[in-house]
Each structure stands twice: as C-alpha cells, then as structure tokens.
C-alpha cells in the first residue's frame, strides 16, 4: 500500500501475434494517453495532476474494459480523486479526452473522499480496482470504505448520479470498518485499507460469472459465487472459496515463509484468468502464482513466476532479469491476459513483462519459474530505471506502473 505517483494511463496497441510463442507483441509506442494531454511532460507538470474537470487522473490503480456492448467501454479507478472515470469507446479515445461518465462523485469537479457513514454513502473513497461482468455491471473495490460496490450497467442508468445496487464486504451502505469491526476475518469481510492508505487490490470475473477479489489486508483471495451476485442479491454475500489461507477466519503467514513456498499469499494485489480457467495472482513476495482449477478452500499454487532459485551453476542470480519480478517494497501490481499469455505490470522494475501461456511453461524441474519473453517500457530485460533512466517520461517509458487491462 502506497501513494502511487502515476498520473496517466497509456493505451498500447497490439500489432502482431508471434506464432511460435502464442503471444501478442506490442507496438513500443502507446497509441493514446489519458490523464495528460501529451506523452512527454516537464518534470513539474508530470508529477502534479491537472485542474480537476473530468479528464485528469491522480494515482490511477486499476482499469477494466467492458466488451458486452458494441464498442469497448473503458473504466479507470482514479484512486486519489476518489472516483471512477468511464469512456464510451476505448478504441476511439483521443489524447486527453474528457470522461463520458464520472462515478462516485456528485460531479466531474469534486474529488474529496466519500465516507460510507457520511452524506454520500454510495460515493467512493480511494477506489483501487474495477471489474465488469458479462452483463455490463461494474464492480468497484472501494478501498477507503473496505467494500465492493456493484453499479448496474452504468451507461444505461439515467443519472446524473450512478447508483449501486449491491455492497460486498459490509452489511449495508453505511458501514465501512475493516473486517466489519470483527477481531478476525470472516467469509463476508474485507480488509483493504489501513491507517496509512489503501492496499493495492485486484478483481476478476471468471467464465462462470464468479467474482474473485484480492483481500490484501487479510493475505488472501476470495471467490464470491455467481449464485450470490444475481439480480436482487442480498447485501454482504459470503465468499465460498479462499486461497492464500487455510480457512476464512485466519489472515496470518506461515512461520519461516519464503517466496518459493506455494501455500500462502502476502498482500495479494492482482488476479486474472486465462481461457483454461487458470487463476493468476501477484503478491507482495514479488511473484506471480498460478492456481489451476478445480478450486478449493486453502488450495496451494501450482507454479510460481518471478522468483529465481540459486543453483550450483547460478549461485548469484541477477536482481533484474527475464525471470525476476519486483524490487524491494515494490512488488508486481497488475495482470492481464491475451491469447492465454499472462502479462504482469512489474512496478518495481518500471515495465510490463509477458510470459508464454501457462501450458507452455518449462517444467519446474528444468526451471523453477518461467522466463518472460516480452518486455514493454524498458529496452531490455536487465534495465529497470524509471523512464528508462531518462529525466522525463516519454511514450516508451513507465514510472511505477500499477495496472492494465486488455481490449482484445
């Protein structure tokens, strides 16, 4: 959990598929940018958000694309403006475009955090993640209120206020305590905010319509079954599966936990699925874990990426390579999947790295974790400096990227 200085969202264009890898290759230059008017900013303007008028971003930490309609709708969690911005067509956005919809604030000029116990109990406070189901319903992880709000098809609502119809993690729209004020977590509670700010979080909806959430403060990932999320569903539904913990009422780490152990999660922050139903999770141990179906309570991961095990022939592996993720207190933050190939937003190394599909990873006996085959934001796999070592950002660089979503 941290204040993230990223103030822009870049849209990358996929240009070709490498037939031998089954992976997308990306144009090195983003096609469009949101949150700033141009790609290259002076050092002064690049680190300060613009006058708030409905198109700027302050520390955006999550994005999602809705493909249920004719044109892909884009939602961005504008975290420190305490709102979600939405655009009607992700493929037709021009640089610096105004959002078509503002969610969580009374208008496009307001940015103060909205408390669940305050006058605007359906407003947002530090939203960190967004997800969209097959019906176009938007789920927002409202971290500052330790809850998830569902907004039914926002672009179909008459407005001007976009209203949620379901709350998860709290018993009603007026409460916001971590773990609902209980001394221990439960199957229906969340802990995604602490005194120092929001945890980085992630959500994903699998092919069966189940909602998966990184309950970061409880060191776990929860699954809310589709059966509890239908039309007219009751508030505060319970999760039916937990991974990263042995049960729903614990949130501790095992004694002597190391990054090569597969039976725990620490501050999980992103989730994604491939078409085979494999679950990918990144966590604070600077790694990505893979959980193949069928899922069950207390399930351990099958494989780990991002961690290099020293061997006799390689006793001192490099800190930054095609096999490593994260740096110090900056673990990988986001995951998206294209053609079954997982891409990880590697914040600590100021890059995005892409891996082969899980089915094509080398055997663990051959190599503990796979090597990335694609890098975006750096000239090679061993470079890691912000903006590739340049004094100013450009269309080819990142500085602490935290989230991404794919339109394809």
């Amino acid at each position: 959990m941290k204040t993230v200085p990223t103030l822009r969202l870049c849209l990358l264009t996929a240009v070709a598929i490498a037939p031998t890898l089954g992976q997308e290759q990306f144009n090195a230059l983003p096609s469009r940018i949101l949150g700033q008017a141009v790609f290259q900013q002076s050092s002064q303007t690049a680190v300060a958000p613009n006058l708030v008028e409905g198109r700027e971003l302050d520390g955006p930490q999550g994005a999602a694309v809705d493909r249920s309609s004719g044109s892909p709708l884009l939602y961005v969690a504008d975290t420190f403006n305490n709102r979600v911005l939405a655009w009607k067509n992700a493929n037709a956005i021009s640089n610096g475009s105004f959002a078509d919809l503002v969610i969580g604030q009374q208008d496009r000029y307001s940015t103060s955090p909205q408390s669940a116990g305050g006058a605007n109990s359906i407003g947002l406070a530090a939203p960190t993640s967004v997800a969209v189901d097959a019906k176009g319903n938007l789920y927002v992880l409202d971290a500052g209120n330790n809850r998830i709000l569902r907004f039914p098809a926002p672009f179909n609502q008459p407005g001007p206020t976009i209203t949620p119809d379901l709350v998860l993690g709290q018993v009603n729209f007026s409460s916001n305590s971590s773990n609902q004020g209980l001394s221990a977590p439960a199957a229906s509670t969340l802990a995604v905010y602490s005194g120092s700010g929001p945890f980085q979080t992630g959500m994903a909806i699998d092919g069966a319509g189940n909602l998966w959430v990184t309950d970061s403060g409880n060191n776990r990932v929860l699954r809310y079954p589709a059966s509890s999320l239908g039309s007219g569903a009751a508030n505060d539904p319970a999760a039916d599966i937990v991974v990263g913990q042995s049960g729903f009422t614990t949130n501790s780490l095992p004694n002597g936990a190391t990054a090569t152990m597969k039976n725990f999660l620490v501050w999980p922050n992103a989730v994604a699925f491939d078409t085979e139903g494999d679950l990918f999770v990144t966590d604070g141990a600077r790694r990505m874990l893979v959980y193949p179906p069928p899922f069950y309570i207390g399930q351990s991961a099958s494989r780990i990426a991002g961690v290099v095990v020293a061997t006799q022939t390689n006793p001192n592996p490099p800190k930054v390579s095609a096999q490593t993720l994260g740096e110090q207190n900056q673990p990988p933050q986001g995951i998206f999947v294209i053609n079954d190939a997982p891409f990880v937003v590697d914040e600590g190394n100021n890059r995005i790295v892409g891996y082969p599909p899980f089915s094509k990873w080398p055997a663990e006996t051959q190599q503990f974790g796979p090597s990335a085959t694609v890098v975006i934001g750096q000239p090679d796999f061993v470079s890691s400096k912000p903006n590739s070592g340049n004094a100013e950002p450009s269309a080819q660089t990142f500085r602490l990227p935290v989230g991404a979503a794919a339109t394809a």
Side-chain angles (χ1 to χ4, degrees):
M1 52 188 173
K2 62 185 79 68
T3 298
V4 181
T6 306
L7 301 175
R8 65 179 188 172
L9 183 144
C10 297
L11 304 181
L12 300 169
T13 304
V15 293
I17 299 176
T20 58
L21 297 177
Q23 284 187 263
E24 290 279 356
Q25 301 297 308
F26 283 90
N27 187 334
L29 296 176
S31 56
R32 292 176 298 283
I33 183 171
L34 301 176
Q36 300 287 346
V38 296
F39 288 109
Q40 188 164 351
Q41 303 281 329
S42 70
S43 58
Q44 181 177 359
T45 59
V47 297
N50 298 329
L51 172 70
V52 176
E53 54 184 356
R55 60 177 172 178
E56 51 296 304
L57 300 170
D58 188 358
Q61 294 192 23
V65 176
D66 177 8
R67 306 178 188 87
S68 64
S69 60
S71 300
L73 308 176
L74 174 64
Y75 295 96
V76 177
D78 186 10
T79 303
F80 298 113
N81 279 329
N82 302 292
R83 64 186 183 179
V84 170
L85 297 183
W87 287 265
K88 289 181 178 179
N89 189 341
N91 293 331
I93 296 173
S94 58
N95 292 346
S97 292
F98 282 91
D100 297 302
L101 205 61
V102 175
I103 301 168
Q105 294 289 345
Q106 61 183 355
D107 54 46
R108 61 181 62 245
Y109 311 107
S110 302
T111 62
S112 58
Q114 304 298 307
S115 172
N120 183 13
S121 63
I122 59 172
L124 299 175
T128 51
S129 181
V130 285
V132 184
D133 67 19
K135 296 180 180 180
N137 299 314
L138 173 68
Y139 290 82
V140 179
L141 207 157
D142 184 19
N145 288 310
N146 291 291
R147 67 184 183 180
I148 299 166
L149 298 180
R150 182 178 68 187
F151 296 85
F155 279 98
N156 292 339
Q157 293 195 33
T161 301
I162 308 303
T163 305
D165 69 342
L166 182 67
V167 59
L168 297 81
Q170 299 292 338
V171 296
N172 54 46
F173 290 100
S174 300
S175 56
N176 63 1
S177 297
S178 177
N179 284 328
Q180 298 181 12
L182 302 173
S183 59
S188 61
T189 70
L190 294 170
V192 288
Y193 194 89
S194 73
S196 57
F199 287 92
Q200 176 66 26
T201 60
M203 293 189 294
I205 296 173
D206 65 22
N210 305 304
L211 175 66
W212 294 76
V213 180
T214 61
D215 185 12
S216 306
N218 285 321
N219 298 306
R220 65 186 187 177
V221 171
L222 298 175
R223 185 183 81 170
Y224 293 92
S227 59
S228 69
L229 304 174
S231 178
N235 290 333
D236 195 30
D240 66 342
I241 287 181
V242 57
V243 296
Q245 295 291 329
S246 59
F248 290 106
T249 59
T250 64
N251 58 12
S252 59
L253 302 178
N255 293 329
T258 65
T260 59
M261 294 170 59
K262 301 173 182 176
N263 64 337
F264 79 97
L265 289 169
V266 54
W267 301 337
N269 49 49
V271 288
F273 287 90
D274 62 17
T275 59
E276 298 299 318
D278 301 310
L279 170 66
F280 299 88
V281 182
T282 50
D283 79 346
R286 304 198 296 274
R287 58 190 184 165
M288 177 175 67
L289 303 94
V290 188
Y291 300 83
F295 304 109
Y296 54 89
I297 294 173
Q299 179 178 350
S300 292
S302 173
R303 292 293 302 273
I304 295 174
V307 177
V308 180
V309 177
T311 64
Q312 186 173 0
T313 58
N314 186 24
N316 297 300
K319 292 183 178 181
V320 182
S321 70
Q323 290 181 253
T324 62
L325 288 172
E327 178 66 25
Q328 290 300 108
N329 294 323
Q330 296 168 345
Q333 296 285 7
I335 312 171
F336 61 99
V337 178
I338 297 180
N339 289 343
D340 283 340
F343 288 76
V344 178
V345 182
D346 187 8
E347 179 189 14
N349 291 315
N350 301 287
R351 65 185 184 179
I352 295 174
V353 290
Y355 295 89
F358 179 53
S359 61
K360 297 184 178 181
W361 286 14
E364 191 173 60
T365 53
Q366 176 184 345
Q367 184 173 303
F368 181 77
S371 296
T373 54
V374 176
V375 62
I376 307 167
Q378 297 289 354
D380 50 51
F381 286 106
V382 298
S383 301
S384 63
K385 292 182 179 179
N387 295 322
S388 296
N390 299 314
E392 307 292 350
S394 73
Q396 295 173 282
T397 66
F398 294 124
R399 180 173 182 264
L400 304 179
V402 294
T407 60

